[in-house]
Amino acid sequence: QRLIADAMQDHAGEREWRRCFLSAGSQSGKTFFVVMFGIYHLAELADEVQIAAPAKTTRDSVGKGKFEPMVSKSPGLARRVLPGNYKLSNKEIDFRIECPNGGKVTFPFSGDSMVSYPARITVGTEAAKMPTLSKTSDMISQLQARADGYADGWAGIFESTPSGKSTRHAQEMEAGTCSTIVCPCPHCGDEFEPGGQDSMKGWQDAETKERAGVMVTMVCPHCGTIIDES
C-alpha cells in the first residue's frame, strides 16, 4: 500500500488533476488506498477532508474499519488527527472530527450532507452508488462546484467496483486516462503493477477473505523477490 501511495502522491502533489477515479474488483484494497490518501492530506497538510459514502452502514464501516485503525495504530498519526478525548469504542464514526493539527474531517453519507459540508479534499467510496441530486446534476459535480472557492482548489478521489455505463463513475473511467499505477521494485528497480495477478502470491488456498489477507505476499514479477514492510 505504501508503494501505491508514494506513486499516487508524486502525481497528486503536482496539482495537475482535480478528479481521480479508481476501479478494481472486490477486496482489492482500493478503499484502503483512497482513505490513506485522505489521511495524508489530513495529517500532513492539515487539510479539510470529507470521506464520503453512499449509505450510513458503508460510512461507519469505512470509518471504523479503515480510518480509525489506520490512524490509531500509528502514534504519530494519532497525535495529529485524533483529539485527546476521542473514543475509539463508539459503534459509529463521529460525523465531524476537529484534529489537533488544525485539519478537519467529516464522514457524510447522503447527498445533502455531502454538499452541505464541502471540503477541499473529497474521498469517495463506492462512488457508483452515490446519489444523483437532480435530473441535471450529480453529487460529484455539486461537490466540486461548492468547493471551488478554496484557494488551493478542490480535488476528489473516488473508488468503486466496475459498474454500469450510466453511472458518473463509469463515465469518468471511460473518458479518463485509463492509467495503471505502477511502482518500482525496491530490490531490482523494475516497475510492476502492485495488486496484479503476477505480483500477489500465496492467497489462493485461503478458505476465507480474512485468511487470504493474512496469507497474501507481494512478489516482484521480474526478480521474484518478496516485498514486505522491511
Side-chain angles (χ1 to χ4, degrees):
Q1 297 292 349
R2 187 181 300 118
L3 290 175
I4 301 174
D6 288 345
M8 192 65 188
Q9 283 302 146
D10 286 345
H11 179 59
E14 296 172 359
R15 305 286 187 184
E16 293 181 350
W17 62 281
R18 301 194 67 189
R19 301 188 307 277
C20 179
F21 290 79
L22 307 179
S23 185
S26 300
Q27 303 299 317
S28 60
K30 58 188 182 299
T31 303
F32 183 98
F33 168 64
V34 297
V35 172
M36 180 166 54
F37 183 84
I39 291 174
Y40 168 83
H41 279 271
L42 189 66
E44 300 295 333
L45 305 180
D47 258 324
E48 292 187 23
V49 178
Q50 63 173 194
I51 299 177
K56 185 176 183 297
T57 53
T58 308
R59 187 278 306 264
D60 288 333
S61 175
V62 171
K64 303 297 288 188
K66 298 289 192 303
F67 176 84
E68 277 191 2
M70 292 163 68
V71 171
S72 62
K73 290 180 180 180
S74 169
L77 281 179
R79 284 193 298 270
R80 281 175 283 176
V81 174
L82 298 179
N85 60 350
Y86 188 81
K87 296 182 179 179
L88 293 169
S89 59
N90 288 350
K91 293 183 178 180
E92 299 180 1
I93 192 74
D94 290 358
F95 177 80
R96 185 180 181 89
I97 299 174
E98 302 274 352
C99 304
N101 71 343
K104 300 175 183 178
V105 57
T106 56
F107 293 85
F109 61 90
S110 68
D112 289 341
S113 62
M114 291 177 199
V115 175
S116 298
Y117 296 90
R120 199 186 74 77
I121 302 297
T122 296
V123 172
T125 183
E126 293 192 15
K129 298 180 182 179
M130 287 185 175
T132 299
L133 300 181
S134 69
K135 293 181 178 180
T136 58
S137 179
D138 60 85
M139 186 274 300
I140 294 171
S141 297
Q142 287 289 323
L143 283 174
Q144 181 171 328
R146 290 292 299 272
D148 273 345
Y150 285 95
D152 292 334
W154 172 86
I157 182 168
F158 303 88
E159 62 84 6
S160 182
T161 51
S163 58
K165 293 184 178 181
S166 62
T167 67
R168 171 66 183 275
H169 188 273
Q171 293 168 4
E172 291 279 358
M173 291 292 296
E174 182 71 20
T177 61
C178 296
S179 301
T180 298
I181 296 175
V182 294
C183 305
C185 170
H187 302 284
C188 70
D190 286 346
E191 293 184 337
F192 69 99
E193 179 184 348
Q197 292 183 353
D198 294 336
S199 62
M200 307 304 288
K201 307 293 184 181
W203 60 270
Q204 289 83 353
D205 295 330
E207 297 180 355
T208 65
K209 294 178 180 178
E210 289 74 17
R211 283 296 302 161
V214 173
M215 296 168 61
V216 68
T217 300
M218 181 179 288
V219 178
C220 174
H222 302 292
C223 67
T225 307
I226 293 176
I227 301 172
D228 56 23
E229 288 298 320
S230 62

